[in-house]
Amino acid sequence: MNVNEHSPTACGRPGPGDRTTVADGAWLAVACQLATASPPSDSEFSAGAVVVADDGTELARSYARESRAHHHAEEGALAKLRPDDPRLAAATLYASLEPCTEDGSGPRSCARLIRDAGVRRVVVAWRRAAASGTGRAEEAGLTVIELSEYADAAKSPNSHLM
């Protein structure tokens, strides 16, 4: 799959609340594939993120370092949307890695950026062991669902850091 090719509703509707659907796995697979497009780094993780509306429409996607060094995938995806987009309140953000809670590439962590955008549901493939300065995205008020069956896909582009 080319990370720039997509059908806006190819994977289906996100699950409701803390329940998951087949579509959640399909969207998470897209986020994991996006991570492979991240430019190489000797010190930063490669990650992918996709923001999907409640009706299954893809709103935005990004990968780590897509537009600049130290750029996080979630940050990039949210930057492609209007901050007042009403679809964000019911959207799901799919991320190959759990969003950072303190060590973001900008003035706010990715968890805070997600929360401030109005997104409350996040589906992740891999919750890497908490590194210095990181906590859990739930502490930022997000519902986080881990689909650990996708962890190997999230770890693969990061094997040189583990």
Side-chain angles (χ1 to χ4, degrees):
M1 168 182 148
N2 178 330
V3 296
N4 294 316
E5 292 177 3
H6 64 83
S7 171
T9 58
C11 297
R13 295 181 67 162
D18 61 358
R19 295 192 344 230
T20 60
T21 65
V22 172
D24 287 318
W27 284 114
L28 190 54
V30 171
C32 290
Q33 180 65 34
L34 283 166
T36 67
S38 301
S41 172
D42 291 335
S43 60
E44 296 183 28
F45 282 88
S46 294
V50 183
V51 182
V52 179
D54 186 45
D55 67 358
T57 302
E58 179 177 328
L59 301 177
R61 62 172 55 196
S62 188
Y63 50 87
R65 300 173 299 284
E66 178 181 16
S67 63
R68 62 180 169 83
H70 312 295
H71 185 230
H72 290 194
E74 303 92 335
E75 175 185 20
L78 290 170
K80 294 175 182 178
L81 298 168
R82 288 187 347 263
D84 62 346
D85 188 324
R87 300 172 296 178
L88 288 170
T92 297
L93 186 139
Y94 296 91
S96 59
L97 304 179
E98 180 179 16
C100 70
T101 57
E102 292 181 19
D103 60 352
S105 60
R108 293 183 291 168
S109 70
C110 289
R112 182 173 292 244
L113 287 170
I114 294 164
R115 188 198 66 207
D116 291 353
V119 176
R120 294 293 182 262
R121 185 173 187 267
V122 179
V123 179
V124 302
W126 179 34
R127 291 185 130 174
R128 58 189 178 90
S132 176
T134 62
R136 289 288 182 219
E138 286 97 336
E139 295 168 10
L142 304 174
T143 297
V144 181
I145 301 162
E146 180 181 14
L147 297 181
S148 59
E149 60 268 34
Y150 293 89
D152 286 344
K155 291 176 184 178
S156 179
N158 296 297
S159 60
H160 64 290
L161 297 174
M162 299 185 297

